[in-house]
Structures are given as structure tokens and as C-alpha cells.
Amino acid sequence: MKDLILILKRFAPPYKGYIVCNFFCNLLATIFSLFSFATIIPILQILFGMQTETHDFVAWNTWTTLDEFLAIAKNNIFYEIESLIETSGASVALMWLGIFLMGMTLFKTGTTYLASLSLVPIRTGVLQDLRNEIYEKIVDLPIGYFSEERKGDIMSRMLSDVGEVEVSIMSSLEMIFKNPIMILIYVIVLFSLSWELTLFVMILLPVSGFLIGKVGKSLKRKSLAGQEQTGELLSQIEETLGGLRVIKAFNAENKVVKRFRSLTKTIRETFTKINGRYLLAHPMSEFLGTIVIAILLWYGGALILNQQSSISAPEFIYYLVIFYSIIAPFKELSKATYSVHKGMASLQRVDEILKSENPLKQQENAATISTFNKDIEFKNVWFKYQDKWVLKNINLVVPKGKTVALVGQSGSGKSTLVDLIPRFYDVVEGTILVDGVDIRKLNLKNLRELMGNVNQEAILFNDSFYNNISFGVESVTQEEVETAAKIANAHDFIMATPEQYQANVGDRGGKLSGGQRQRVSIARAILKNPPILILDEATSALDTESEQLVQNAIEHLMKNRTTVVIAHRLSTIRQADEICVMHEGEIVERGKHEELIALNGYYKRLCDMQSF
């Protein structure tokens, strides 16, 4: 019950109107079903000639309590039926009772349909809200979060787990606004018919409720394991698609297939147990309900046969029909309980994302910045991943309009250093200043608007050339996009495609060569026109011809800009204003190309290796 209240408090408030509509429709459906069942009593009495007493009309305004009103209503209904039989005959009375039964059933099914229909906007709305919330959280979380998480698992939480939560919520709404209403009203009617029989039944029902609850609790544990395994499955698929070239090159098809088969076997076993327990809800509740009805039939029948009961045989049949009608909502209630337990396991996984803390906090009333005027300064900067220090006591100034290059072996901390400038991560110790202001005190969006990034891997989206180049820039014209593409040496190959700037580049730019992808990403940076440029090994993965074209585009891009360059090919940074050589997280040498060659140290060795 605690889980149920938690789900409703969290997701139901935006849809109160639909919930109220669902509640009243279910209430009306229950009342109409009672009226339709009530026709059984006079029909049986007419068919079997069981009506011995006669009724006189009682004025409607003579009642003072609810019991008196119900007694008067019952008396007058029988009076009208008796009058109809007397004037028109029993067959005509049966016809009108049948018409009444059809009318009540029509109203019952109509209100039941409206009740179900009112749940549809809630179901689709909650699914939309939850997916939007997760997606916004994913976009908001820092890059470091995803280095420790599998993409496939995150996708599983966004698709499979969210679907389970949606089903769970629908079950919760039915539990509260449909089944309990029906059960409560039916029980009240049963008490009004015979409190002795109903009290006897109430002693039996808690036993079945206890058994159903025991199975539901074990279901939650299994469901959590199943969703985690589904996440691992999506991760393996994502890794396989991304690494298919390597798998085939190393003849590792059998190895990955064997690993995949092992996982799917485990998933099958887990979900076989989950579904087995979930499907147990219906037969278990039906069997337990039938046991209760059999006992009730024996006990109530014995009372009537021994003339110890306060109700007649037709009324006892009506009693049994109402009680049997409780079984259906009771079965749905037990099944919904299972769904809630199953959904809570998925909600727990979704909340691991939604409740993740973003360590990159923006201060309240953060300072705005719209221009870059002076320099970027690293002052005693230290940074570590988990327990390993990646940067140690970095002191560096990048003056406006200058180009500073970072070189060194892989793992020396170059990429981490430039990732700190746009606050993809926060320093552990020390400060980074832009125009003398700590970047942690600046508005994060303003800070990143000052910067343009071109990375080693050109990240393009499965969209047109136009949308990839104009990505993140508002209100641009076709002419501006084409100008940026021309500067980046991308215009010619774009125009050579049939759809030109509206041509799709494919998934991650898969329809383009490496050099073409890089030039499109450079065009994107040119269009943004940032005062600060960060180049992270932008030409290292290219062939010589593509490198020359990209290098020319980069030189256009670097004009009149403050640039931080990471380079493995040292020939591309010979003209840098300052070259910093990094080794194991520290700047071990700095100066111009000729000065570093003269030192005959780390930089000279790097140059000699590349010359060789």
C-alpha cells in the first residue's frame, strides 16, 4: 500500500480531472450493475411461482432512515411488478423486466467504457512525462556520469523500465478507483441482505489476501533482476553494432554469439519465473474465491433449508450473484498488486538516473559573461578520476588571440585539461579563471557560448548537412551556412550530393569519409563564431590529403581567435605561440617550437620519433 500511495502522489496530480471522472464512472457502473442483478429476484419469483405475499403502495415521503428508504423502494418495486402481472399477465411483466435488465446493462457497460477511456490520457501522459524527465536528466548530467554507465542499460531504463512503470500506474489507478469501489458497495449490499452470511465470509477472505501478498513480494525481487539483465542485453547489442568491424577482423563472431546466447538464456530463465508468478494471480484468486463461494453455498443453503435465514431463496441467489461479482474485481486487485510490485522494481532503476546528483552546480545569481577580453588562466589546478590524479598543479595562461598547444603521450592529461575549460568537469583543487573570474561563478550557458569545440571524432547527428552545421545556433540563413561550409572546405562535396545541403549524413555521419565529417564539424564551429576555440586532435585520424584540407579549414577557423590545441602531429602546431609538453599530468616543458628543440628534452624526443 505504501508503494501504491508513493506512485500516485508522484505521477497522478497533473491528471486529477481524469481521475475524478474515472471515479464517478466506476461508481455509476457499480450501481447500474446492482440494479441489473436485482431483476433476478422478481424473475425467479414469477418463473417459479414463489411470490406468496402481496405488497401495498407506501408513500415515498414517509422514510426517515436509509434502511427505511431501501425498504420502501423494495416494497414499491414489488407492488408495481404485482400490478403489472395482474393487469397484463406474467409474460408481459417478464418482457418489461428484460427490457429493464438491458437498459441497466447498457448504462453499466457505457459508464465502464467511459471509466476506461478516462485512463487513456493518464496512461499516455505519464509515459510522455517520465520519458521527457529522463531525457532532460540525461542531457543535464555531466559527461563523467556516462563514463561509468553502459549506454544500453540507460536505454533499457528509458524504454523497458518506463513501460513497466506505466503499466504499474494504470494498475494502481484501477486498484484505487475501480476495484475497491465495486468491492465496498457490493459488501454493503451483502451486509444489508444478510449480515450473518457476510460476516462469515469476511472471516475467510483475509486468508486468500495473505497468500496473494506473499507471491507479490517475491515478484518485485525477480523483476529488478530481470530489468537489469535487459539493460545488459541492450548494452551488448549496442557494443556489437559499434564494434562489428573489430569482431569480424578478429574472427570473434563465435565468442560474441556465445556470450550473447548465455545472457539470453539467463534472461529467459528469469522472465520465465517472473511470468509464472505473475500469471499465478488469476488462477489463485479464482480458486480461492470458488472455495469461499462453495463454503458460502453450503452454509447459506443449510440456513435456508432449515428456515434459519432472514432471506428467501431468490434473495440468496441474488446474494450469490453479487458475491460472485466481487471475485472479478478481487482478481483484478490481486493482479494489479503484482503489477505494482513489478513496476516498483523498474521505478527503482529509473530513479537511479532521476535522483543522480549533478556535481556541476551553478551558483545562484551566477555572473553573466558575453565577451572574452583578457585571458584564460589555470591556477594551481589539480584533478582526479576516482582515486587517480590526472592533473597535478597546472599553472597556465592562455592570452586572448594567442594559440597554446598541448602535446605529450596518450594519458598525459591533455584532453582532461581542455575539458575543464567549458566545465565538463570541475577541478578538485585550484581554480580556472576567464577574464579573472572563477568559471564556477559564471553562468554555465554563457561560458560555453564563448567556446567552440572540434574533436578528434567528428560527432554528427543523423540529419541533414544544413541542420548539422547550424546545430545549436539560432536564426541562421542558408547563406550563412554555405559561407561557413566554404571556409571549412566542405561546400564542394556537399553540393555534389543530390539533395545538397538537405542531404542526410547518416548515423553519426556514416555516409561521409573521415575528412568530410571533420570539415562539417569545423563548419559548425565557424558558424558559431566563438572567441575561444578548443581543438582536440582534430586531424590525427585523417589521411594526408584529408589532413591538408582540414588543416587549411582549421587555419581559417583559428584566425583572430584564442585557441587551445591538442596535437599528436607536431607539424601542425609549429607556429603556436606557446607549446606545453605534458607528462603524467604535469607540464614538464613549455615554450616555442625552436626553444623546446633547443632544450633537448621531452619535446625533442617526440619530434625525433615523428621524423623517424
Side-chain angles (χ1 to χ4, degrees):
M1 192 64 185
K2 185 174 74 173
D3 290 343
L4 184 57
I5 293 170
L6 176 68
I7 287 175
L8 292 173
K9 280 178 67 178
R10 181 167 172 183
F11 297 110
Y15 307 97
K16 290 176 183 174
Y18 294 109
I19 291 172
V20 171
C21 176
N22 178 266
F23 174 82
F24 280 109
C25 286
N26 282 321
L27 182 63
L28 289 173
T30 305
I31 293 170
F32 289 135
S33 68
L34 285 172
F35 278 113
S36 64
F37 295 152
T39 56
I40 291 172
I41 298 173
I43 287 172
L44 288 174
Q45 289 176 335
I46 292 170
L47 288 175
F48 298 106
M50 300 172 69
Q51 181 64 32
T52 55
E53 60 176 315
T54 58
H55 297 79
D56 297 318
F57 181 79
V58 178
W60 286 100
N61 59 357
T62 58
W63 65 277
T64 56
T65 64
L66 181 61
D67 287 339
E68 288 180 1
F69 173 78
L70 293 173
I72 291 171
K74 178 181 176 183
N75 177 84
N76 288 348
I77 289 169
F78 276 104
Y79 168 77
E80 295 294 339
I81 294 171
E82 289 164 10
S83 300
L84 184 63
I85 293 171
E86 189 175 336
T87 57
S88 303
S91 60
V92 174
L94 282 174
M95 181 189 73
W96 282 108
L97 285 171
I99 292 171
F100 177 79
L101 176 62
M102 287 188 290
M104 288 298 102
T105 304
L106 176 64
F107 287 132
K108 174 197 169 185
T109 53
T111 49
T112 301
Y113 168 73
L114 290 175
S116 299
L117 189 65
S118 64
L119 290 181
V120 173
I122 307 175
R123 187 170 205 146
T124 54
V126 167
L127 188 64
Q128 173 188 293
D129 295 344
L130 199 52
R131 281 180 175 160
N132 288 345
E133 194 177 346
I134 296 175
Y135 190 81
E136 288 168 14
K137 186 68 177 183
I138 287 171
V139 172
D140 179 64
L141 285 169
I143 291 172
Y145 176 85
F146 301 99
S147 61
E148 300 174 11
E149 297 287 338
R150 290 186 172 191
K151 292 178 188 174
D153 189 53
I154 291 172
M155 290 165 62
S156 172
R157 296 182 197 213
M158 194 167 184
L159 299 173
S160 176
D161 287 295
V162 167
E164 283 291 344
V165 173
E166 176 221 2
V167 171
S168 171
I169 290 166
M170 290 306 99
S171 299
S172 305
L173 290 173
E174 287 188 311
M175 282 178 69
I176 285 189
F177 301 115
K178 180 185 176 184
N179 301 320
I181 294 171
M182 296 176 70
I183 292 170
L184 180 63
I185 292 175
Y186 286 159
V187 167
I188 291 171
V189 173
L190 292 178
F191 266 109
S192 69
L193 288 170
S194 174
W195 66 268
E196 303 103 321
L197 286 176
T198 309
L199 197 62
F200 175 72
V201 170
M202 290 296 107
I203 296 170
L204 300 176
L205 288 179
V207 177
S208 58
F210 172 77
L211 293 173
I212 290 168
K214 290 288 285 183
V215 178
K217 286 182 181 177
S218 65
L219 188 67
K220 181 179 177 181
R221 292 192 297 272
K222 284 290 178 187
S223 294
L224 184 60
Q227 294 303 328
E228 288 173 349
Q229 289 164 6
T230 302
E232 190 176 344
L233 180 76
L234 285 173
S235 292
Q236 280 199 23
I237 293 170
E238 192 268 335
E239 287 175 356
T240 301
L241 292 174
L244 206 54
R245 186 182 298 272
V246 175
I247 291 168
K248 291 183 178 297
F250 284 85
N251 289 324
E253 291 94 337
N254 290 338
K255 181 177 181 179
V256 294
V257 167
K258 184 179 178 182
R259 185 180 66 165
F260 190 80
R261 282 178 175 273
S262 174
L263 180 57
T264 53
K265 181 183 177 183
T266 303
I267 291 173
R268 180 193 176 193
E269 291 169 353
T270 301
F271 277 94
T272 298
K273 292 177 182 176
I274 291 171
N275 291 326
R277 294 180 188 186
Y278 184 71
L279 293 172
L280 188 61
H282 181 85
M284 178 184 280
S285 57
E286 184 168 349
F287 177 67
L288 293 171
T290 304
I291 290 174
V292 173
I293 281 188
I295 296 171
L296 178 63
L297 188 62
W298 162 76
Y299 181 70
L303 290 177
I304 291 171
L305 291 173
N306 296 327
Q307 297 183 341
Q308 296 176 339
S309 175
S310 59
I311 59 175
S312 63
E315 288 174 334
F316 180 60
I317 299 297
Y318 177 50
Y319 184 98
L320 286 177
V321 169
I322 294 175
F323 184 80
Y324 198 81
S325 299
I326 291 180
I327 292 179
F330 188 72
K331 282 190 293 187
E332 288 180 13
L333 196 63
S334 63
K335 201 169 183 179
T337 305
Y338 286 15
S339 290
V340 170
H341 283 299
K342 202 175 176 187
M344 286 305 296
S346 293
L347 186 60
Q348 183 177 326
R349 281 170 44 81
V350 169
D351 278 341
E352 286 177 9
I353 294 178
L354 293 179
K355 294 182 179 178
S356 296
E357 285 291 325
N358 188 342
L360 301 178
K361 302 291 184 184
Q362 181 169 285
Q363 293 185 1
E364 291 186 19
N365 303 317
T368 58
I369 182 171
S370 57
T371 58
F372 176 61
N373 301 312
K374 183 184 172 187
D375 59 26
I376 303 169
E377 182 179 1
F378 291 77
K379 187 179 288 186
N380 303 319
V381 168
W382 292 71
F383 181 81
K384 64 179 176 181
Y385 292 115
Q386 296 176 343
D387 296 326
K388 182 183 178 183
W389 288 103
V390 181
L391 297 176
K392 306 169 188 175
N393 198 33
I394 300 295
N395 288 280
L396 175 64
V397 176
V398 184
K400 180 182 178 181
K402 301 295 184 181
T403 297
V404 173
L406 303 175
V407 300
Q409 82 273 29
S410 296
S412 59
K414 305 183 299 297
S415 294
T416 301
L417 183 64
V418 297
D419 282 346
L420 293 176
I421 302 173
R423 276 195 79 192
F424 292 153
Y425 306 93
D426 267 341
V427 299
V428 176
E429 295 178 19
T431 54
I432 299 174
L433 308 172
V434 172
D435 287 348
V437 181
D438 189 333
I439 61 173
R440 288 170 292 191
K441 296 179 181 178
L442 294 174
N443 180 285
L444 190 56
K445 186 176 180 181
N446 290 163
L447 175 68
R448 290 176 179 171
E449 282 176 348
L450 297 176
M451 301 174 191
N453 287 67
V454 180
N455 302 308
Q456 179 179 3
E457 181 186 1
I459 299 171
L460 301 182
F461 299 94
N462 196 351
D463 208 336
S464 65
F465 284 109
Y466 180 92
N467 289 337
N468 270 286
I469 293 172
S470 62
F471 187 79
V473 182
E474 301 293 333
S475 304
V476 295
T477 64
Q478 178 75 24
E479 185 181 356
E480 289 171 329
V481 170
E482 289 185 13
T483 301
K486 287 174 183 176
I487 296 171
N489 292 328
H491 179 73
D492 290 341
F493 74 78
I494 293 174
M495 294 301 290
T497 61
E499 296 174 285
Q500 299 178 352
Y501 279 84
Q502 296 307 315
N504 191 285
V505 303
D507 184 35
R508 300 180 69 85
K511 295 180 181 179
L512 310 178
S513 68
Q516 289 173 335
R517 286 197 296 270
Q518 197 63 281
R519 280 177 276 167
V520 172
S521 68
I522 291 169
R524 181 167 60 203
I526 290 170
L527 186 64
K528 185 179 181 182
N529 194 27
I532 300 169
L533 186 63
I534 297 172
L535 304 175
D536 189 351
E537 302 179 28
T539 62
S540 63
L542 305 179
D543 59 82
T544 305
E545 184 179 354
S546 296
E547 181 187 358
Q548 188 59 50
L549 289 167
V550 171
Q551 189 61 39
N552 291 338
I554 287 174
E555 288 172 4
H556 282 294
L557 180 61
M558 290 170 59
K559 284 180 181 177
N560 304 317
R561 285 186 174 87
T562 306
T563 309
V564 181
V565 186
I566 295 176
H568 276 163
R569 298 189 183 181
L570 303 183
S571 58
T572 61
I573 47 96
R574 290 173 65 96
Q575 305 304 317
D577 296 291
E578 183 176 21
I579 300 171
C580 296
V581 183
M582 298 193 66
H583 180 72
E584 295 184 354
E586 298 180 86
I587 297 176
V588 291
E589 293 176 355
R590 65 177 75 199
K592 289 184 177 292
H593 173 75
E594 294 79 9
E595 295 170 351
L596 293 174
I597 292 291
L599 286 176
N600 198 27
Y602 288 98
Y603 185 77
K604 178 66 163 56
R605 286 202 297 274
L606 290 172
C607 287
D608 290 344
M609 284 188 284
Q610 289 200 10
S611 299
F612 174 74

